[in-house]
Amino acid sequence: MRKLSRRITDTSPKSYGMFAKAAGVDHTNRDIIHLELGCPYHTTPKHIVDATVHALRSGEVHYSDLPGLPQFREAIRDKLIAYNGIQVTSDDVIVTNGLTQASYAAFMALVDDGDEVILVEPYYPQHLGKIEMAGGKPVIVALDPNDNYRLNAELIEKAVTPRTKAIVLVNPCNPTGRVYSREELMGIADLALRHDLYVIADEVYDQIVFDDAKHVSIASLPGMQERTVSMYAFTKSFAMDGWRLGYLTAGKEVLGAIAKVVASEVTHVNTFIQYGGIAALTGASEILAEMVADDKRKRDLVVSRLNQMPGVVCARPEGTIYAFPNISATGLKSQQAADLLLQEANVVVESGAFYGLAGEGFLRVCFGSASYERIETAMDRMQTFFNKL
C-alpha cells in the first residue's frame, strides 16, 4: 500500500497533553478536578442560544454567503473598529469554524515549503503543528521567564533569516497570562516592517483582560494592518467553545488567499449558528463583563493560594483564564509535578513544558474551567501536596 502524505508522517503528532492522560485514568471512586483544559465553566448566555434556535426554526438551514452572513460580518466589523482599533469594512472579514480553522487557513495561505515561521516560547502547540503541515519550519525563540516573558524584539530579530515568512503571536498569551504592552508590540511591528514579515495574531482572549491591562491589536499599529492576519473566536469570551465559531481579518491580498482555503475546506460556517454570533456581539455588554468579573475573582483566588504553597511562585495573570506558577524551587520537573498532582491529589493541571522548553519549571492552571468552590477544593488539595514535598 502507498505511504501517507509527508504532511502527516513527517510532522509533530497532535497532543492533548494532560487532558488525554487524565481521560485514560479510571475515574471510579475518584473525584478528579480538571484545571488543565481551556474549556469555559460558564454556559453560553441564553440570548445567544435563543437567537440560534429562532434562526433554526425560521428555516435558516441552507447555504449562505461563503465569507459569512453579511449582517454577521457587519457586527464583527463594528467590534473590530470599536474594540480592536482595526479600521476594516465588512468585506475585510471571513467567518471561520473557530480560531483553529482561522489559523490553519492562514498558515496554508501564507507558508510555502521551507519557509520559516517564528514562534515565541512558551507557544501554543497547535500552531507548531499547523506550520509543519503547511510545509514550513517552526523557529522557536524562547522568552525569558525572569523578564516576565517580555516580548523582546531584539531577541526575536536574531532568529530572522532570508527564509523567515512570519511571526506568530498569542496575545493575551496562552499559557503565561501576559497581555503584551503597546511598547512590546511596537518592537515587533518595527521588526516586521523592516524585514517584510507577516504577523499571524491569535487574539482569542482579547476580551478577557483584568485590572488595568489593555489589549492592543498589533494590526492597529501603523503599517501593520496589511501584513497582519488577526484571528478571533467566541470560544472563551462568550463560552461558546462547542459552537466552533470564529473570524479573521487581513489585508486584501492575504484575505483572498485565505478565502480560497476556507471555501475549499468547508464552503462556509453553519448558517444558523451565525445568528448566535450576531446576538453575542450586539447583546448587552453586561453579560460579558459579568463572566470576565467571575474569571477575575477566580484568578485572585488561584494566585493567592498558589503563592502560599511551598516552592511555588505565581505572577498575577493580566488576561486569559490561566495562571502559570513557577514550581522550579520544589525540585520537580513540570511533567513530573503534573503527573503527581493527578495521581496523588486528583487535580489535573498542564505541564509548562507542554508549551516548549521555556515553560519548564512551570504549570498551567486553568481557573476559567471550574466553579469558585471547585477551585477552592483544588487549591486545598494542591496545598496538601506541596506541603508534603
Side-chain angles (χ1 to χ4, degrees):
M1 185 175 291
R2 293 180 180 272
K3 294 181 179 180
L4 299 173
S5 71
R6 288 196 302 274
R7 70 174 52 89
I8 298 299
T9 58
D10 294 351
T11 56
S12 301
K14 186 175 176 64
S15 171
Y16 290 97
M18 287 300 296
F19 173 76
K21 186 171 288 189
V25 171
D26 184 358
H27 284 57
T28 306
N29 300 320
R30 292 185 66 176
D31 176 30
I32 295 178
I33 301 177
H34 290 268
L35 303 181
E36 83 283 16
L37 189 64
C39 177
Y41 168 71
H42 304 115
T43 192
T44 305
K46 183 177 182 299
H47 73 288
I48 298 173
V49 176
D50 289 346
T52 306
V53 171
H54 177 74
L56 187 59
R57 288 177 171 166
S58 298
E60 300 293 348
V61 296
H62 301 293
Y63 292 135
S64 57
D65 295 64
L66 268 64
L69 292 171
Q71 59 269 46
F72 187 22
R73 288 185 286 120
E74 288 168 5
I76 292 169
R77 172 205 62 199
D78 293 346
K79 180 263 183 181
L80 288 170
I81 293 172
Y83 185 81
N84 300 96
I86 307 174
Q87 302 304 311
V88 297
T89 71
S90 58
D91 290 336
D92 299 323
V93 173
I94 295 177
V95 177
T96 62
N97 284 275
L99 192 142
T100 297
Q101 190 206 9
S103 59
Y104 178 81
F107 289 125
M108 293 300 290
L110 291 177
V111 178
D112 280 320
D113 287 348
D115 283 348
E116 295 176 356
V117 180
I118 293 175
L119 285 177
V120 293
E121 188 183 64
Y123 53 73
Y124 181 53
Q126 280 201 29
H127 292 325
L128 183 146
K130 291 174 195 171
I131 293 166
E132 292 178 333
M133 290 189 74
K137 176 186 175 183
V139 175
I140 309 302
V141 177
L143 302 181
D144 185 358
N146 296 316
D147 193 23
N148 195 25
Y149 291 115
R150 180 174 64 87
L151 202 55
N152 187 328
E154 293 180 4
L155 181 67
I156 294 169
E157 186 164 22
K158 293 177 181 177
V160 174
T161 74
R163 302 217 66 161
T164 305
K165 191 71 166 289
I167 301 171
V168 180
L169 295 180
V170 182
N171 180 37
C173 182
N174 172 14
T176 66
R178 281 292 321 281
V179 177
Y180 296 127
S181 68
R182 180 176 292 273
E183 181 183 9
E184 288 171 278
L185 294 170
M186 286 291 288
I188 301 303
D190 176 69
L191 175 61
L193 289 165
R194 285 190 289 106
H195 292 276
D196 190 22
L197 305 177
Y198 289 108
V199 173
I200 299 173
D202 174 342
E203 300 187 356
V204 70
Y205 298 97
D206 67 327
Q207 294 182 289
I208 306 179
V209 294
F210 309 119
D211 307 322
D212 296 326
K214 180 175 174 55
H215 173 263
V216 176
S217 292
I218 193 167
S220 70
L221 300 181
M224 290 304 296
Q225 185 168 339
E226 287 299 311
R227 64 177 62 249
T228 303
V229 181
S230 301
M231 308 178 298
Y232 307 88
F234 295 81
T235 304
K236 315 297 182 180
S237 300
F238 292 97
M240 295 171 67
D241 46 311
W243 294 62
R244 312 312 306 133
L245 188 60
Y247 55 97
L248 62 81
T249 185
K252 298 290 186 185
E253 182 179 4
V254 176
L255 199 71
I258 290 173
K260 185 175 182 179
V261 175
V262 172
S264 299
E265 187 184 8
V266 297
T267 305
H268 63 73
V269 171
N270 294 345
T271 299
F272 53 88
I273 69 165
Q274 296 183 58
Y275 288 89
I278 295 170
L281 291 177
T282 61
S285 60
E286 291 81 6
I287 295 174
L288 173 59
E290 287 170 4
M291 291 193 290
V292 173
D294 184 58
D295 285 334
K296 179 181 182 297
R297 179 170 172 254
K298 292 185 288 190
R299 177 209 63 172
D300 292 343
L301 168 67
V302 166
V303 170
S304 174
R305 290 296 304 276
L306 287 171
N307 280 313
Q308 295 174 32
M309 299 177 192
V312 180
V313 177
C314 185
R316 187 176 299 276
E318 300 160 318
T320 76
I321 53 175
Y322 310 109
F324 204 55
N326 186 334
I327 61 158
S328 56
T330 67
L332 297 175
K333 294 291 187 181
S334 294
Q335 189 60 57
Q336 181 186 14
D339 288 339
L340 288 172
L341 282 165
L342 171 58
Q343 294 164 15
E344 300 182 12
N346 287 331
V347 176
V348 194
V349 298
E350 189 55 79
S351 162
F354 184 65
Y355 308 95
L357 294 178
E360 179 56 66
F362 290 76
L363 297 172
R364 194 193 74 165
V365 180
C366 181
F367 52 80
S369 62
S371 69
Y372 189 93
E373 293 71 24
R374 288 289 280 172
I375 292 173
E376 278 188 310
T377 301
M379 293 300 106
D380 290 342
R381 294 179 185 180
M382 291 178 69
Q383 180 86 57
T384 299
F385 171 81
F386 284 111
N387 283 347
K388 291 179 179 179
L389 292 180

